[in-house]
Amino acid sequence: MNATTTAIRPTDRRAATIVMACLGVFVAYLPITTVAVSLPAIQRALHTSTAQLSWVQDAFVLPMAAFIMTAGVFGDVHGRKKVFQAGLFCCAAGAAVALCAQNIQVLWAGQALAGLGSAALLPTTLALISHAVPDFRERGKFIGMWAMAMLAALAVGPVIAGVILDHFSWRWIYLLSVPLALVAMAVAAPLLTDSRAPHGRKLDWPGQITAAVAVTALVYGVIEGGADSFTASKVIAALALGVVALIAFVVAEKRSDSPMLDLAVFRSAAFTATALVALITFLGLIGFFFVLSLYFGMVQQLGTLEAGARLLLVPVAAIVAGAPAGRLMHRVPTRWMISVGLLLIAGALLAMTSLDTDTSYGSIAWRLIVLGVGLGLVTTPMTATAVAAVPHHLAGMASAANNAFRQVGGALGPAVLGALLSTRAVDSLPGHLADAGVTGTQAHTIVATAKEGGLGAVAGMNLGSTANQVYGALGDSLLDGMRLCLIVAASLALIAAACAVVLLRRPKQQAGTGAARTADVAQHGNPDASAENAQAAGTAQPLEPRRS
């Protein structure tokens, strides 16, 4: 057998790159819903407070949001395959630490390490696909596969957790991530095609440090403000530090010869639109999933597996709807596809305001399916448009920034909507207790406990013969809070739809495009396909890279 027959063909390497990218994003997103539905079991096993429990999820999301753009730069400079492998290793190591955790602090450490690994995987997987498939029309199909892998991880997470929690300890929810990440590392080593950004891009330490501080401080301030009070000294200090760091980041990026995030990309209306849509949409949606899990658990009294099976409808519908979205992108303008998807999301959220304690599964199911279809129509074109809106060699930067906005929104969602839900529910609790016949000292004690430790803390009280009445009042209060959150989340989806309609406009063909393209070919030796990619996507003309 000669060297020609034993060598791996370019088409095979491209297929392997796409498969590895999809597997990488699956590993990155698997802990999100798996851990989310397991939080009650973790609280019982480790005897944690509500505040400590909230940081189990936030310990994962914060490093993911803070270091996504940094990971994108490292991939561009040192090679995306290396960063991809490092991300898989961190995910496996973090899951192993959490698997062995005997206290909440060790669990936080494992979650943070896994979040750092996910931050490395998200931008590099998209950049690997962009490098392997430079043509926009063909690339849209494979970015659709990437988005479906992400949604698949969100879909199977609750089911996996439900099965495990019904038969084993909570800690075994982390077991699957370890062999999955290690096998992916072993397979990727010989098959994955490496790539890095041309044009001499280098590390931007001032930008990376100030961005990490800004995101961490701002998200921490919102999370703690929602859990405690926005007038608390630590919250004010965190938000002030975040604002100062954000200003420092802007100054550093303007002065840098090789910025981590070239602020000029925001002159592209398409890139700006996708960033805003990602932030707003995921703020509302991830917050909604947090609220809906409370509805299934506290109002309808469902087990983990039953709640997970219902939540499964959203990502499954998104996968079914999103599969053809990548193929339709060059036929249907992306702004209409994204806008229709966001309108479906808003309509489904508003329809859920009529949910009650006794709402049937069938009545909930069609609303969740419509929501999933809308999500499927948004995810793929939003991601593909962000990558196509900038020059091809900045794909890593674009995908990292888009994912960073998405994760910041995802981190803020539970904090913002959770705070709204808690405030509205506690405010309405006295009235519902009075309607249920619970008054006097007991009612005062229940309301004080809810204000101090949340609605879940009331369930741990000795309620005596009034337990059923109190639980009914708690459920009605939670429904009041949930309806407010649904209205807010639907409003956010409508704002995102308006951003898409206004900003994602097809640009007019410019006369100078051909000359600029010829000059770029003469300078770099190969044409930059991003210009016609952006035209095909109906996005703004991509920007020329900054040259020192």
Side-chain angles (χ1 to χ4, degrees):
M1 189 174 291
N2 56 38
T4 304
T5 57
T6 58
I8 301 176
R9 294 177 299 175
T11 54
D12 294 336
R13 284 196 176 275
R14 189 179 79 163
T17 299
I18 293 165
V19 170
M20 287 295 100
C22 291
L23 184 57
V25 75
F26 184 90
V27 171
Y29 266 81
L30 184 61
I32 294 178
T33 51
T34 307
V35 175
V37 299
S38 305
L39 291 177
I42 294 173
Q43 185 175 34
R44 290 191 298 269
L46 298 181
H47 308 290
T48 65
S49 67
T50 302
Q52 288 176 320
L53 189 70
S54 67
W55 276 102
V56 173
Q57 195 80 338
D58 294 331
F60 178 85
V61 174
L62 259 181
M64 186 191 293
F67 292 104
I68 278 181
M69 287 194 292
T70 299
V73 175
F74 268 82
D76 288 346
V77 174
H78 295 295
R80 290 150 187 162
K81 180 177 178 179
K82 296 183 182 69
V83 177
F84 178 82
Q85 295 282 62
L88 288 172
F89 177 78
C90 287
C91 285
V97 171
L99 179 64
C100 301
Q102 298 298 322
N103 56 61
I104 192 66
Q105 289 78 18
V106 175
L107 182 58
W108 289 343
Q111 284 281 92
L113 186 55
L116 190 62
S118 297
L121 288 173
L122 290 176
T124 52
T125 50
L126 271 176
L128 285 168
I129 291 177
S130 181
H131 176 79
V133 190
D135 179 69
F136 174 83
R137 287 183 172 85
E138 190 179 10
R139 189 198 311 153
K141 176 178 65 176
F142 296 113
I143 290 181
M145 294 179 182
W146 179 93
M148 295 309 102
M150 178 185 72
L151 294 171
L154 297 177
V156 302
V159 177
I160 292 172
V163 172
I164 290 174
L165 292 175
D166 280 352
H167 299 90
F168 307 102
S169 167
W170 64 270
R171 64 184 68 255
W172 295 108
I173 63 172
Y174 290 100
L175 181 61
L176 179 61
S177 295
V178 178
L180 197 60
L182 294 178
V183 168
M185 286 181 64
V187 173
L191 295 180
L192 190 61
T193 301
D194 200 4
S195 65
R196 63 185 67 197
H199 303 290
R201 196 174 185 203
K202 55 187 179 182
L203 297 177
D204 171 29
W205 288 111
Q208 288 154 23
I209 294 171
T210 52
V213 172
V215 171
T216 302
L218 290 173
V219 174
Y220 173 86
V222 173
I223 290 171
E224 287 297 301
D228 185 9
S229 170
F230 282 97
T231 59
S233 57
K234 64 179 180 180
V235 173
I236 294 175
L239 294 177
L241 175 62
V243 171
V244 171
L246 185 60
I247 295 172
F249 170 74
V250 172
V251 173
E253 297 307 272
K254 285 186 174 181
R255 294 181 176 180
S256 175
D257 292 331
S258 181
M260 178 176 69
L261 177 61
D262 192 340
L263 299 180
V265 299
F266 289 101
R267 292 204 302 266
S268 165
F271 183 86
T272 303
T274 54
L276 289 173
V277 169
L279 176 67
I280 297 170
T281 301
F282 274 73
L283 193 158
L285 278 179
I286 302 301
F288 157 76
F289 282 122
F290 173 78
V291 171
L292 192 64
S293 65
L294 293 179
Y295 166 76
F296 285 140
M298 297 182 64
V299 178
Q300 293 206 324
Q301 300 293 311
L302 299 178
T304 305
L305 186 57
E306 291 178 294
R310 283 160 172 75
L311 290 172
L312 183 65
L313 290 173
V314 177
V316 167
I319 290 171
V320 173
R327 295 190 294 270
L328 290 174
M329 283 178 54
H330 63 283
R331 299 178 183 175
V332 179
T334 53
R335 70 169 175 149
W336 296 122
M337 191 181 300
I338 293 174
S339 300
V340 169
L342 290 167
L343 290 176
L344 288 175
I345 290 172
L349 292 171
L350 291 174
M352 288 185 206
T353 57
S354 63
L355 296 184
D356 211 334
T357 307
D358 301 321
T359 303
S360 66
Y361 173 69
S363 183
I364 297 174
W366 73 263
R367 295 170 167 88
L368 295 177
I369 290 171
V370 172
L371 177 67
V373 170
L375 182 61
L377 292 178
V378 170
T379 304
T380 299
M382 177 179 66
T383 305
T385 301
V387 174
V390 300
H392 184 249
H393 67 280
L394 295 180
M397 177 192 291
S399 61
N402 188 261
N403 274 300
F405 279 102
R406 181 183 299 167
Q407 294 310 318
V408 169
L412 293 176
V416 173
L417 295 190
L420 288 175
L421 182 143
S422 179
T423 301
R424 179 72 181 99
V426 171
D427 287 345
S428 66
L429 182 58
H432 289 301
L433 286 172
D435 293 340
V438 180
T439 57
T441 304
Q442 185 184 25
H444 178 77
T445 303
I446 290 171
V447 173
T449 302
K451 288 182 178 179
E452 181 68 24
L455 296 180
V458 178
M461 296 176 61
N462 183 10
L463 300 172
S465 60
T466 62
N468 289 334
Q469 293 98 305
V470 173
Y471 290 148
L474 286 175
D476 291 337
S477 301
L478 189 66
L479 282 172
D480 289 342
M482 185 184 77
R483 290 177 183 127
L484 174 62
C485 291
L486 289 170
I487 292 172
V488 171
S491 301
L492 290 171
L494 291 175
I495 292 172
C499 291
V501 170
V502 172
L503 296 176
L504 287 177
R505 293 182 178 275
R506 184 181 295 275
K508 296 179 180 179
Q509 189 72 27
Q510 298 178 4
T513 300
R517 180 174 173 81
T518 302
D520 190 65
V521 173
Q523 180 168 357
H524 302 301
N526 62 338
D528 185 347
S530 60
E532 60 187 41
N533 287 350
Q535 293 285 347
T539 61
Q541 183 72 16
L543 303 167
E544 283 296 312
R546 179 184 298 188
R547 296 182 176 88
S548 55

